[in-house]
Amino acid sequence: RIKKSSDFKRIFSNGNVKSCHGARLYLIENGYEYNRVAVTLTRKFGNAVTRNKNKRWIREIYRELKGSIRQKGVDFLFFLFPGNYTFAERKAQVHLLVKKSGVTHG
């Protein structure tokens, strides 16, 4: 996972951005042999239960998807916007963003 504040600042300022309705994906090369992922939310995203549930959903979707990601050494930062989205809708958002980024096979 991405944890350092300096990494977040670097990704937000220099990262390649892909957007869809309800979510945004920032990508940047990290110089490591592996990919890292982080999930962040807007400030007024609801209560703690909602925030944590959405973060868990995105991490689970990424875990299922990471086998199809061919590029290594990339930081993925998923930025979520509030909305009454279901798990299936969030999954569709993540798949669309990763497809737009061009890091998957096929």
Side-chain angles (χ1 to χ4, degrees):
R1 286 194 197 160
I2 302 164
K3 294 182 180 182
K4 291 182 182 177
S5 177
S6 60
D7 287 337
F8 279 96
K9 288 178 185 175
R10 180 179 56 86
I11 294 168
F12 277 121
S13 63
N14 302 324
N16 186 8
V17 182
K18 303 297 177 191
S19 296
C20 72
H21 192 267
R24 190 176 289 156
L25 173 62
Y26 292 83
L27 297 112
I28 194 167
E29 292 189 14
N30 61 21
Y32 299 116
E33 296 289 322
Y34 51 88
N35 295 336
R36 299 187 303 174
V37 67
V39 181
T40 188
L41 313 162
T42 60
R43 287 183 180 224
K44 297 188 177 179
F45 199 89
N47 62 18
V49 172
T50 305
R51 289 190 301 271
N52 290 329
K53 178 176 70 172
N54 277 269
K55 287 181 181 182
R56 283 194 312 271
W57 281 358
I58 300 301
R59 286 193 292 264
E60 174 62 18
I61 294 165
Y62 176 80
R63 187 190 64 78
E64 293 173 355
L65 190 64
K66 73 179 176 182
S68 67
I69 296 175
R70 61 175 157 68
Q71 191 170 347
K72 299 297 179 204
V74 178
D75 285 343
F76 293 88
L77 190 143
F78 292 95
F79 188 77
L80 304 180
F81 296 99
N84 196 13
Y85 296 106
T86 63
F87 179 78
E89 291 168 332
R90 286 289 185 199
K91 189 171 187 175
Q93 290 170 353
V94 170
H95 281 271
L96 176 64
L97 291 171
V98 171
K99 183 179 178 184
K100 278 184 173 183
S101 70
V103 297
T104 59
H105 294 292

